[in-house]
Amino acid sequence: MAGAAAEQRRLATVVESWLGRPVLIVGDAMLDEWRFADSDRLCREAPAPVLTLRRRISAAGGAANTAVNVAALGGRAVLVAPVGADVAGDELHDCLDRAGVWDRTVDQPGRPTPVKRRMLAGNQILLREDSGDPDDALDPEGVSRLLTALACATEELRAAAGGEAPTLVVCDYGLGALPAPVRAWLVEQRERYATVALDAHDLADWRGLAPTVVTPSFAEATRLLARAGATTRPTGGTELHLKHPDIDPADGPSEMTVGAAPGGVRADDAAERTTDRPGPVGEPIRGEGRVALTGDGLSVTGTGVTVNTRAGEGVDRAVLAESRLAELRAHTGADVVAVTLDTEGAVVGGADGAPRRSHSTPVPASHAVGAGDAYLAAMTLALAADAPLPTAAQLAQLAATITVSDTGTCVCRREDLLTALDQPTGTTDRSALVGTDELDAIVAEYREAGRSVVFTNGCFDVLHRGHVRYLEQARALGDLLIVAVNSDGSVRRLKGPDRPVNPVEDRGALLAALACVDHVVVFEEDSPAALIEAVRPDVYVKGGDYPPELVPEAPLVRRLGGQVRTLGYVPDRSTSAIIERIRTHSQDPAPRATDRVPDESLSTRTQAS
């Protein structure tokens, strides 16, 4: 029992270590819509149920749900993806905002947001309607804007993390969000990311990326091996044939059914087989798009792999996947391959060649939508935090398993993961963005625990390196850092009609994502005096090179029993200077093809956009 408790504490330590880890997610974002209805009769026109809609739920799907899971697990998630300028796109933006994801999606007028609408009665999915055509390709301007968003988001994350290289997650579900120029850019820029995770329906499209980890389904792994042209081994005996669609579903595990191999027979027809009937041929006929399992269960034919039914029932997908991990690593260039097996768990392999098997609990299909996104998010965060592979695999499977308790799109929260590990979640699980009423309770809680409170305020219009260093120094002065940020109206009154550059929602979210900031609160007044009186900080921090005596709020802070500290900014790093450089740059002639934009300028443009 003591050993199990120690193991849970060790896993929880990894969960804590990835808190605030910067992660950029790029790929096919979609909206999941769930419509729950009642039905107690059939319609007169046809043998179909009459449905009465009771409630409707919208959730982020695809790459957007991966971003939501990264944020819910405690990472710093930024999503870059094309999103339609439509109602579904608006709903998707709302989902991202509620989840605390940095929304850097690119509007694509005329290209609809992909939507998966599910109609349920009695928790049973009756039908699913998909909208959004993968043939709706991005136009050249859309591709250019997507590449700009990728470059800017990368530098934005790097700046917010104090120069740390971010993690990249690529979610390619074949819906057109990642055309060839975008894939080429990501391959070329691979060195800008410390850890790279790839989840793609067609792994062959990503040669050269050299990802840290790939998470194919069994069918996706099979297709890659088939296309790699593995040598066919001799076959014998009755064969089990697995069939899957030419295009895998974009939101979950591949649909696979048992049937007869091309030219062969079903296993249950073996007794009736005659010598003049042809045996399995291993190569599907045109249009079948099948995955054939042959011979010893380890061979790959032109389009698939097979198992000999007479070799014993013990040869299953997990055994097959384990036997091919080394080939999958070689063909993908990945350090780690995790072959997901739907409700059967996963098989994971790394450089040491030792396969690791994880298991899951079978659940209804309506409970498992998006479980793979939770798996991918937890696996990525664990590897980015330098966790050993067995630990990363264990946490990823746990994250996927604990999300499937009910119908809907799966999201694993950090507190759920810690609770599953029997670890206290503590007060740090509160949202970083808080209101003034909630702030009173938070401060009281910290005071009761004997912890010191540091308070600062400002516009933080264009977050830059000087701000980050200043806030890190402020956090070091106590146990809790509260940042009060001026509302848009307050900034206009203080700075002029052309400010702020960024709305308070963006400024607050960016500050809240910094690891050194515990809580962010917005205030409408021109002075933070009312908040200072409410918080009664132990230390009040202001930026500048002047003595504390010149800080306007100093008398109030001292009267309340606190001390005042001033911290200097990084030289030549100020919001006004950055905005001026942007304006000057925008007036310059178009740069020559040979001109290179330095990283600092790119970061500046990113933070001001």
Side-chain angles (χ1 to χ4, degrees):
M1 184 66 69
E7 173 67 6
Q8 289 180 324
R9 285 195 298 271
R10 186 182 67 81
L11 293 173
T13 299
V14 175
V15 177
E16 296 289 356
S17 71
W18 73 44
L19 191 63
R21 182 83 42 183
V23 182
L24 171 61
I25 301 94
V26 59
D28 293 298
M30 62 190 76
L31 183 73
D32 277 350
E33 184 179 296
W34 298 82
R35 294 173 177 248
F36 298 88
D38 292 337
S39 177
D40 55 10
R41 59 193 174 92
L42 296 178
C43 72
R44 298 173 58 185
E45 297 85 359
V50 177
L51 303 176
T52 303
L53 185 64
R54 295 303 183 192
R55 64 190 177 103
R56 174 183 172 277
I57 297 175
S58 293
N65 189 46
T66 299
V68 167
N69 272 277
V70 168
L73 286 167
R76 234 178 258 165
V78 175
L79 175 66
V80 173
V83 173
D86 50 20
V87 173
D90 292 341
E91 290 194 46
L92 183 55
H93 292 310
D94 290 341
C95 293
L96 297 173
D97 288 343
R98 289 195 300 269
V101 174
W102 296 8
D103 185 354
R104 300 299 180 262
T105 56
V106 179
D107 286 344
Q108 298 288 337
R111 185 178 187 272
T113 302
V115 181
K116 298 190 179 302
R117 298 180 178 88
R118 297 170 178 85
M119 179 67 79
L120 301 89
N123 251 17
Q124 174 66 46
I125 297 178
L126 300 182
L127 59 89
R128 194 183 87 182
E129 175 195 6
D130 290 1
S131 61
D133 192 338
D135 293 333
D136 292 333
L138 299 179
D139 58 31
E141 181 177 343
V143 171
S144 176
R145 293 172 61 212
L146 195 62
L147 291 174
T148 300
L150 275 171
C152 291
T154 299
E155 290 306 311
E156 181 180 24
L157 268 180
R158 184 186 292 273
E164 177 184 359
T167 293
L168 174 67
V169 179
V170 179
C171 301
D172 183 6
Y173 306 130
L175 296 180
L178 296 165
V182 177
R183 296 197 301 271
W185 187 92
L186 290 169
V187 170
E188 181 184 348
Q189 302 296 321
R190 170 62 178 87
E191 71 279 358
R192 298 174 71 175
Y193 307 100
T195 302
V196 174
L198 172 63
D199 184 23
H201 276 0
D202 193 346
L203 291 165
D205 284 342
W206 291 95
R207 291 188 181 93
L209 182 63
T212 309
V213 58
V214 293
T215 58
S217 66
F218 180 79
E220 290 161 356
T222 296
R223 183 183 299 112
L224 178 67
L225 291 173
R227 290 183 179 179
T231 303
T232 303
R233 300 182 186 181
T235 65
T238 304
E239 299 178 3
L240 180 66
H241 181 75
L242 299 184
K243 176 182 178 181
H244 68 81
D246 290 328
I247 300 177
D248 290 333
D251 66 335
S254 301
E255 305 268 341
M256 303 191 77
T257 57
V258 178
V265 295
R266 295 179 183 273
D268 53 10
D269 293 336
E272 302 176 11
R273 184 171 178 173
T274 60
T275 55
D276 58 343
R277 293 177 65 181
V281 296
E283 180 68 27
I285 63 175
R286 180 180 296 276
E288 281 194 307
R290 295 187 171 188
V291 179
L293 300 183
T294 59
D296 55 10
L298 306 179
S299 302
V300 180
T301 68
T303 58
V305 268
T306 325
V307 83
N308 184 346
T309 55
R310 291 179 178 175
E313 295 182 359
V315 181
D316 59 14
R317 294 194 302 167
V319 173
L320 190 59
E322 287 181 4
S323 70
R324 313 311 293 273
L325 287 173
E327 291 176 65
L328 289 168
R329 288 185 63 246
H331 291 312
T332 60
D335 298 327
V336 176
V337 172
V339 181
T340 56
L341 304 171
D342 314 331
T343 55
E344 297 174 37
V347 173
V348 182
D352 60 6
R356 295 159 179 91
R357 180 78 165 92
S358 62
H359 298 271
S360 183
T361 303
V363 295
S366 61
H367 289 196
V369 174
D373 302 329
Y375 184 97
L376 175 62
M379 172 68 82
T380 302
L381 285 168
L383 292 176
D386 296 323
L389 181 54
T391 299
Q394 192 173 353
L395 286 170
Q397 189 63 67
L398 181 59
T401 301
I402 64 178
T403 64
V404 296
S405 60
D406 202 358
T407 298
T409 304
C410 295
V411 174
C412 182
R413 300 182 304 163
R414 176 172 165 271
E415 52 265 37
D416 295 335
L417 199 53
L418 290 173
T419 298
L421 295 170
D422 291 330
Q423 301 300 308
T425 57
T427 57
T428 57
D429 288 322
R430 290 183 182 271
S431 171
L433 286 164
V434 298
T436 53
D437 294 339
E438 188 179 2
L439 186 62
D440 292 340
I442 292 172
V443 171
E445 196 173 313
Y446 276 89
R447 294 265 191 242
E448 187 175 347
R451 304 175 71 181
S452 59
V453 176
V454 181
F455 182 95
T456 189
N457 63 278
C459 300
F460 299 100
D461 192 3
V462 179
L463 197 64
H464 52 73
R465 180 184 170 193
H467 287 139
V468 174
R469 178 178 170 183
Y470 162 74
L471 292 170
E472 287 175 341
Q473 291 175 335
R475 179 63 175 80
L477 298 175
D479 299 315
L480 175 75
L481 175 60
I482 297 172
V483 179
V485 60
N486 295 74
S487 68
D488 292 346
S490 176
V491 174
R492 277 191 292 271
R493 291 190 296 272
L494 292 171
K495 303 289 187 179
D498 59 344
R499 298 281 296 275
V501 172
N502 293 310
V504 71
E505 293 83 4
D506 289 355
R507 292 184 284 125
L510 199 60
L511 287 166
L514 295 177
C516 57
V517 175
D518 294 290
H519 298 291
V520 177
V521 61
V522 177
F523 66 100
E524 297 289 341
E525 302 81 10
D526 295 343
S527 167
L531 275 176
I532 291 173
E533 287 211 53
V535 172
R536 304 175 70 91
D538 297 282
V539 183
Y540 177 70
V541 181
K542 199 67 178 172
D545 297 322
Y546 43 82
E549 291 74 21
L550 296 181
V551 175
E553 296 82 6
L556 173 61
V557 173
R558 292 196 178 96
R559 179 169 61 82
L560 296 172
Q563 59 175 304
V564 180
R565 296 284 299 273
T566 57
L567 301 174
Y569 290 124
V570 175
D572 195 32
R573 296 294 190 277
S574 74
T575 299
S576 298
I578 290 173
I579 293 175
E580 184 58 33
R581 285 205 302 271
I582 293 171
R583 288 171 174 164
T584 302
H585 181 74
S586 66
Q587 295 170 2
D588 288 342
R592 298 184 302 275
T594 56
D595 289 343
R596 303 289 294 178
V597 179
D599 287 346
E600 181 182 305
S601 299
L602 178 58
S603 175
T604 300
R605 290 201 309 276
T606 301
Q607 296 162 21
S609 62

